[in-house]
């Protein structure tokens, strides 16, 4: 059989499945409707003993996952920080699987290597980071942290005469990692993976605005002068979207000889919007930055980006040579900058997203998301029994639902917030998740999807109103 006939009807049918899914999104429940038991029952067949018709397999898969998919590709998904997929990125992602390139090095997949070179340059320009910084396209911000902090670990120990790549960590000077206490959980895990352990962390309470300020940082750094130090800052707190005051804290950290890393999983993208760029002022002075493509750039999972100002430290921490590999002298071999070996050519989706949106299109997505987040929070806060705990200055806001009974306590409001959020999700109209912020349960309003439009905001506020009036 010629290969075309093996693929052709199947892929045509798959396009139909994909288009039907996307077309149904506005009517479909945003939250999943299938239960764990249902999904296990449908999908949990015995291991198939013999081959089956692929078209039938895909048809069955589509049927079995129905109700078990959440509408994160659509316009009313506001849980966690999750973006959709712009059309060009989705198409390029399909082709990525079709082309099946191993994007480990130039010799294996030349176009994938060059596309990543270009993505790196474009991203540095869009995010207004130093054009000379090195980069890596990784699976997400979690691995971007690992990549950046591996470079940081290399550099701060090298400054103490210790070669961590050669000597490992046993007997090495202890590294301390100084950060605000609102840091994202992926930071801690990156440090665990890098052998630094939780004990390396020195958490500084953030101020009322959620920022790590220089006055709080200075004495902590001064308490242990000369210790290899990494300072972790935030561009976009997960609850409030707040940015640390970079122009004040970065010089203080550098004065103490620290490496400064920025967690900007979504917040780094504020730099791409002229309206929101001011929050990122001074951020380019840091030493490394981690962000995601699968959040605000709206490319499919999995896609994150690591950037490192000290190219040599980045290269030392990742470079890999083997005598059976064909290392390139002129091109960029991803294996020298990435923690993975064989890897997906995820640059194609990023390339297509940026090429199709352009600088203006990306700025518009960022600005629209911020506008929608603000609109949802402020409209909801006008409803009886609804309080805005944080009005978005970018795309993250917090709402709290108050228990109307006389003498209600914070615990009652916590419970009410959980209940109302669950009712909104159950309505299928929109999806939110809860968080604890300053000891209070809140509903997070996070707008990251390119598809969200004014009518989605209206529909969402109506759903909040209905759920909050019960
Ligand atoms: C989402 C997020 C991360 C983790 O990113 P992944 O892509 O899920 O690995 C880290 N930090 C912040 C602030 C985030 O919002």
């Amino acid at each position: 059989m010629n290969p075309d006939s093996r693929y052709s009807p199947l892929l045509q049918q798959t396009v139909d499945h994909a288009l039907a899914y996307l077309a149904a999104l506005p009517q479909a429940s945003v939250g999943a409707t299938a239960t764990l038991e249902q999904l296990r029952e449908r999908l949990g067949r015995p291991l198939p003993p013999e081959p089956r018709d692929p078209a039938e397999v895909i048809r069955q898969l589509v049927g079995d996952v129905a109700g078990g998919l959440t509408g994160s590709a659509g316009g009313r998904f506001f849980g966690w920080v999750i973006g959709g997929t712009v059309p060009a990125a989705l198409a390029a992602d399909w082709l990525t699987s079709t082309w099946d390139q191993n994007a480990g090095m130039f010799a294996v997949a030349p176009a994938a290597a060059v596309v990543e070179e270009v993505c790196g340059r474009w991203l540095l320009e869009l995010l207004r980071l130093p054009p000379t910084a090195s980069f890596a396209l990784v699976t997400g911000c979690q691995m971007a942290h690992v990549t950046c902090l591996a470079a940081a670990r290399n550099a701060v120990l090298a400054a103490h005469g210790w070669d961590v790549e050669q000597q490992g960590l046993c007997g090495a000077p202890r590294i301390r990692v100084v950060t605000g206490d609102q840091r994202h959980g992926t930071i801690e895990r990156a440090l665990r993976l890098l052998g630094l352990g939780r004990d390396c962390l020195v958490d500084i309470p953030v101020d009322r605005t959620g920022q790590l300020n220089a006055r709080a940082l200075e004495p902590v750094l001064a308490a242990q002068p000369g210790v290899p130090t990494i300072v972790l800052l935030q561009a976009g707190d997960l609850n409030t979207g707040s940015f640390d005051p970079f122009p004040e804290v970065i010089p203080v950290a550098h004065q103490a000889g620290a490496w400064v890393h920025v967690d900007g999983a979504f917040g780094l993208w504020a730099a791409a919007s002229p309206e929101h760029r001011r929050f990122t002022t001074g951020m380019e002075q840091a030493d490394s930055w981690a962000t995601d493509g699968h959040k605000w750039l709206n490319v499919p999972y999995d896609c994150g980006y690591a950037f490192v100002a000290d190219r040599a430290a980045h290269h030392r921490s990742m470079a890999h040579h083997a005598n059976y590999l064909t290392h390139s002298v002129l091109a960029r071999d991803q294996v020298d900058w990435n923690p993975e070996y064989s890897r997906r050519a995820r640059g194609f989706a990023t390339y297509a997203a940026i090429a199709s949106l352009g600088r203006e299109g990306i700025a518009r997505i960022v600005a629209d998301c911020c506008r929608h987040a603000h609109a949802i929070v402020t409209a909801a806060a006008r409803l009886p029994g609804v309080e805005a705990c944080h009005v978005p200055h970018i795309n993250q806001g917090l709402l709290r639902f108050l228990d109307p009974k006389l003498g209600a306590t914070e615990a009652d409001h916590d419970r009410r917030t959980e209940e109302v959020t669950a009712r909104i999700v159950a309505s299928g109209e929109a999806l939110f998740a809860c968080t604890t912020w300053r000891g209070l349960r809140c509903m997070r309003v996070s707008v990251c999807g390119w598809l969200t439009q004014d009518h989605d905001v209206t529909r969402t506020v109506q759903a909040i109103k209905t759920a909050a009036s019960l």
Side-chain angles (χ1 to χ4, degrees):
M1 203 178 354
N2 84 44
D4 185 56
S5 65
R6 271 182 249 181
Y7 284 114
S8 179
L10 174 63
L11 293 188
Q12 293 296 351
Q13 168 202 320
T14 304
V15 170
D16 294 340
H17 284 308
L19 292 175
Y21 178 77
L22 295 172
L25 273 173
Q27 293 81 42
S29 169
V30 181
T33 51
T35 64
L36 172 65
E37 293 72 31
Q38 285 171 330
L39 291 169
R40 282 197 175 140
E41 194 181 302
R42 287 189 217 152
L43 292 157
R45 300 185 175 77
L47 174 68
E50 40 195 44
R52 282 176 57 208
D53 173 19
E56 180 49 32
V57 169
I58 296 303
R59 227 183 341 266
Q60 197 167 57
L61 179 65
V62 169
D64 288 350
V65 300
L69 304 174
T70 53
S72 47
R76 281 168 290 112
F77 189 98
F78 308 115
W80 306 283
V81 186
I82 288 183
T85 298
V86 293
L90 176 57
D93 195 63
W94 286 358
L95 290 173
T96 303
S97 296
T98 310
W99 293 333
D100 193 28
Q101 301 292 287
N102 182 341
M105 50 203 312
F106 177 80
V108 188
V114 172
V115 151
E116 287 192 35
E117 282 180 7
V118 178
C119 287
R121 175 163 64 76
W122 283 357
L123 288 165
L124 288 166
E125 197 175 328
L126 266 171
L127 302 171
R128 302 167 84 84
L129 298 176
T132 52
S134 54
F135 59 89
L137 277 66
V138 291
T139 49
C141 198
Q142 170 73 79
M143 285 313 289
H145 288 325
V146 170
T147 306
C148 290
L149 293 172
R153 180 181 70 167
N154 181 294
V156 298
L157 289 178
H160 283 71
W162 190 271
D163 178 354
V164 71
E165 313 309 327
Q166 186 64 33
Q167 299 168 275
L169 283 169
C170 282
R174 288 281 298 169
I175 295 174
R176 78 179 154 159
V177 180
V178 180
T179 175
D181 61 358
Q182 298 298 305
R183 65 185 151 71
H184 194 270
T186 48
I187 294 281
E188 182 199 293
R189 207 153 60 135
L191 297 169
R192 280 163 52 199
L193 289 169
L194 290 166
L196 300 178
R198 287 190 192 103
D199 283 352
C200 73
L201 277 163
V202 182
D203 282 330
I204 300 178
V206 296
D207 64 18
R208 285 288 308 164
T209 62
Q211 297 181 312
L212 173 64
N213 66 49
R215 270 190 322 285
L217 177 63
E218 217 160 2
V220 172
L221 293 176
Q224 283 181 289
V227 172
T229 303
I230 299 168
V231 171
L232 292 171
L233 302 178
Q234 288 206 108
D237 170 75
L238 81 132
N239 287 317
T240 63
S242 88
F243 291 71
D244 286 326
F246 304 116
E248 289 157 39
V249 285
I250 294 178
V252 167
H254 279 163
Q255 192 79 45
W259 175 291
V260 179
H261 173 68
V262 177
D263 178 358
F266 58 92
L268 225 55
W269 292 90
S273 160
E275 242 180 283
H276 302 90
R277 186 168 292 157
R278 65 184 184 281
F279 300 117
T280 66
T281 302
M283 178 178 80
E284 71 287 349
Q285 300 297 322
D287 300 287
S288 57
W289 306 262
T291 192
D292 272 317
H294 53 219
K295 288 180 179 175
W296 230 345
L297 185 59
N298 282 260
V299 306
Y301 288 89
D302 42 25
C303 186
Y305 314 119
F307 306 100
V308 182
D310 182 345
R311 302 174 64 92
H314 183 184
H315 192 264
R316 283 197 305 272
S317 66
M318 287 296 156
H320 172 80
H321 272 249
N323 58 15
Y324 68 94
L325 296 177
T326 314
H327 298 279
S328 170
V329 183
L330 297 173
R332 178 183 181 274
D333 283 327
Q334 297 96 316
V335 73
D336 289 331
W337 306 96
N338 273 73
E340 311 96 337
Y341 200 64
S342 297
R343 57 190 279 279
R344 181 173 180 77
R346 59 178 66 87
F348 291 126
T350 293
Y351 184 90
I354 299 176
S356 71
L357 294 166
R359 212 192 271 280
E360 270 176 36
I362 294 168
R364 195 166 314 127
I365 290 180
V366 171
D368 283 350
C369 288
C370 295
R371 184 167 59 79
H372 294 319
H374 190 269
I376 292 172
V377 170
T378 51
R382 282 195 290 271
L383 300 168
V386 186
E387 191 178 270
C389 291
H390 179 75
V391 176
H393 54 278
I394 56 164
N395 64 335
Q396 308 290 316
L398 296 171
L399 288 169
R400 186 161 162 85
F401 298 93
L402 308 179
D403 188 328
K405 81 169 175 234
L406 218 62
T409 62
E410 294 296 0
D412 293 322
H413 301 325
D414 282 351
R415 204 170 313 118
R416 171 101 183 142
T417 299
E418 300 269 2
E419 282 167 11
V420 173
T421 306
R423 273 205 289 274
I424 299 168
V425 175
S427 77
E429 283 289 281
L431 190 144
F432 296 95
C434 288
T435 185
T436 300
W437 183 70
R438 291 195 188 143
L440 303 175
R441 293 300 278 166
C442 294
M443 187 179 88
R444 263 175 97 189
V445 177
S446 173
V447 185
C448 236
W450 76 288
L451 268 180
T452 302
Q453 292 167 37
D454 291 332
H455 61 83
D456 293 302
V457 170
T458 309
R459 216 170 133 178
T460 298
V461 172
Q462 187 55 47
I464 295 174
K465 185 176 177 183
T466 305
S469 64
L470 291 174

